[in-house]
Amino acid sequence: MAAEVIGKVKTGRTRRSVGVKWNPSDRNVYVQIAGWTSCGKATSAGDAMRRAEAYVHDK
C-alpha cells in the first residue's frame, strides 16, 4: 500500500500549509517540504498528523 495524503498542517513561523502523507503498512510519515520529506513513524493517522505538526513547527 502506498502513502496517502491525510491532511495539511501549518508551519510554525510562516503559517504556510504543507501536505501530510502516511503509509499505514510501514507507518512512515511524510511532509511536503522540499518534495516529500520523511519525519518519522506513526501508529495511526492522528498520530501521523501530530508528528507532522511537531516536525514543521520550526519550519
Side-chain angles (χ1 to χ4, degrees):
M1 181 176 216
E4 300 175 13
V5 176
I6 58 171
K8 291 185 177 227
V9 294
K10 290 198 180 274
T11 60
R13 291 185 185 157
T14 62
R15 305 304 294 165
R16 185 179 59 142
S17 290
V18 295
V20 179
K21 281 185 179 181
W22 179 57
N23 186 341
S25 60
D26 66 7
R27 300 183 183 169
N28 283 324
V29 182
Y30 304 93
V31 291
Q32 195 173 12
I33 296 176
W36 288 97
T37 304
S38 177
C39 65
K41 293 188 179 267
T43 56
S44 68
D47 186 27
M49 291 298 288
R50 286 188 293 275
R51 289 182 186 272
E53 189 172 23
Y55 184 83
V56 301
H57 180 72
D58 292 335
K59 306 291 185 220

